[in-house]
Amino acid sequence: MDTLEKILEQIKKYNRIIIHRHQRPDPDAIGSQVGLAKILQASFPHKQIKVVGKQIDGLSWLGNMDEIEGDFFDDALVIVIDTANSPRIDDRRFENGAFLIKIDHHPNDDPFGDLMWVKEEASSSSELVFDFYNRFKDQLTLTADTARDLYAGIVGDTGRFMYAATSAHTHSVVAGLMETGFDMVAVNQTLDEIPESVAHLSSYVYDNLQIKANGAAHIVLSKEALDKFDLKDAGTAGIVSLPGHITTVKCWAIFVEQDDHSYRVRLRSKGPVINELAKKHDGGGHPLASGAKAANIEEVNQIVSELDQLV
């Protein structure tokens, strides 16, 4: 019995299934979480399938989170998807279930759970969810609504198919999803749209981005700047890719000041591997897309220096 067969065996065994994902979710985190839940609910209507974590208004079009009591975890199967490190799991009750499964496509630096399916070469966790469905499509159900969620996750994590993890298999998965007839154009338009506040912030980013001679770029978004544009941390997701549009930029860091005056760090690259740098600063992720933390402006400057040296 291989890993996928073991996962299906556990799904069939439990009547209560709770699906978690990482904090500060992106379209792939929500798309894979909700998409898997919808597949399981459509396939096993007698089971209670719940998705948990903080409700993110900007991604509520993909699905809403459930509120459940603590005793729901008793004798329940817990699946954590799209989360490399256990400290990043949203809703800390994930350890309270009877059995824990990890499904992910990030480097497996923090193995956790009773059963793991980690495939680093996959473009996204949404791609993995489709692969799981496709392996057992004689037993599982994929609706157009579910396909929409998984497609959004793939588009989000591949940067609209621009990133190196996009493979021929990724495109075959997308073709399989499109066969359900969901409105692909509507999804693309929704993912492409930004509010006026983010448009103004985009202009600010280009005006204030600092680019070193080697091609390392960075910008610090202070709380004062975010307040000016009436944005919170979550609202900055729409500008993460902007520095990469500049020809001379090879890798970049976006520092977002938090309420405690520490900084959330988003790291991106066109080539130099950055996830080892992220690990040095309480973070991690993919070789070309990672996240980290900086305790203060001194650590911000240290990361900028290390990024420059990396290039």
Side-chain angles (χ1 to χ4, degrees):
M1 184 180 292
D2 66 15
T3 300
L4 294 188
E5 290 172 327
K6 291 177 182 178
I7 291 174
L8 183 60
E9 179 185 51
Q10 293 300 322
I11 287 170
K12 289 180 175 180
K13 177 180 177 181
Y14 289 92
N15 287 322
R16 291 179 177 178
I17 302 174
I18 306 154
I19 306 176
H20 295 242
R21 40 77 183 161
H22 63 74
Q23 301 166 357
R24 293 170 171 167
D26 52 18
D28 185 40
I30 300 290
S32 60
Q33 178 192 30
V34 174
L36 178 59
K38 289 179 179 178
I39 288 173
L40 298 185
Q41 195 68 76
S43 307
F44 307 103
H46 62 284
K47 294 183 182 292
Q48 294 178 284
I49 316 292
K50 303 295 183 181
V51 291
V52 296
K54 183 178 180 182
Q55 181 69 38
I56 305 299
D57 293 337
L59 294 173
S60 59
W61 61 279
L62 291 173
N64 294 307
M65 299 297 104
D66 296 309
E67 293 186 8
I68 58 177
E69 299 297 328
D71 59 3
F72 192 87
F73 284 82
D74 296 343
D75 197 30
L77 170 64
V78 174
I79 301 174
V80 176
I81 195 163
D82 198 45
T83 311
N85 311 99
S86 55
R88 292 198 67 208
I89 300 173
D90 202 345
D91 194 322
R92 303 308 299 170
R93 297 176 294 177
F94 71 94
E95 294 181 318
N96 296 347
F99 196 90
L100 177 60
I101 297 174
K102 176 183 182 180
I103 299 175
D104 192 30
H105 72 117
H106 298 91
N108 197 21
D109 296 326
D110 178 15
F112 61 83
D114 302 298
L115 180 60
M116 292 183 293
W117 180 36
V118 179
K119 192 174 180 180
E120 293 182 29
E121 64 270 26
S123 72
S124 56
S125 291
S126 294
E127 181 178 305
L128 293 179
V129 172
F130 179 85
D131 286 341
F132 178 72
Y133 153 76
N134 201 44
R135 171 70 180 277
F136 304 109
K137 60 183 177 182
D138 59 329
Q139 304 178 61
L140 301 176
T141 300
L142 177 72
T143 65
D145 184 53
T146 304
R148 181 201 66 155
D149 293 343
L150 298 179
Y151 174 77
I154 292 171
V155 170
D157 251 29
T158 61
R160 293 166 177 76
F161 310 106
M162 287 178 57
Y163 302 153
T166 305
S167 65
H169 178 66
T170 303
H171 286 291
S172 70
V173 168
V174 169
L177 294 171
M178 289 177 64
E179 288 177 356
T180 65
F182 74 94
D183 192 340
M184 181 188 69
V185 173
V187 175
N188 290 338
Q189 289 176 340
T190 299
L191 290 172
D192 194 51
E193 290 175 346
I194 58 172
E196 288 186 25
S197 56
V198 175
H200 292 306
L201 178 62
S202 301
S203 176
Y204 178 87
V205 168
Y206 281 133
D207 285 341
N208 293 275
L209 187 71
Q210 298 184 47
I211 307 173
K212 293 185 177 292
N214 289 331
H218 77 279
I219 186 170
V220 178
L221 298 176
S222 66
K223 283 185 57 61
E224 182 181 4
L226 294 180
D227 289 342
K228 175 184 176 181
F229 297 109
D230 194 26
L231 284 169
K232 302 295 184 183
D233 181 13
T236 63
I239 55 89
V240 174
S241 64
L242 295 184
H245 297 313
I246 301 172
T247 307
T248 55
V249 171
K250 297 179 181 177
C251 58
W252 61 99
I254 296 176
F255 301 92
V256 183
E257 187 177 9
Q258 306 296 298
D259 289 337
D260 62 358
H261 303 296
S262 66
Y263 294 85
R264 179 184 183 184
V265 188
R266 289 185 169 103
L267 294 165
R268 298 292 186 271
S269 174
K270 296 178 182 177
V273 174
I274 54 175
N275 58 345
E276 291 301 321
L277 188 157
K279 291 176 187 177
K280 293 169 60 178
H281 298 276
D282 196 20
H286 298 290
L288 304 183
S290 294
K293 297 177 183 178
N296 47 47
I297 198 65
E298 287 76 21
E299 189 170 3
V300 166
N301 293 331
Q302 181 184 353
I303 293 173
V304 170
S305 176
E306 291 172 353
L307 191 65
D308 187 39
Q309 293 171 22
L310 188 63
V311 179

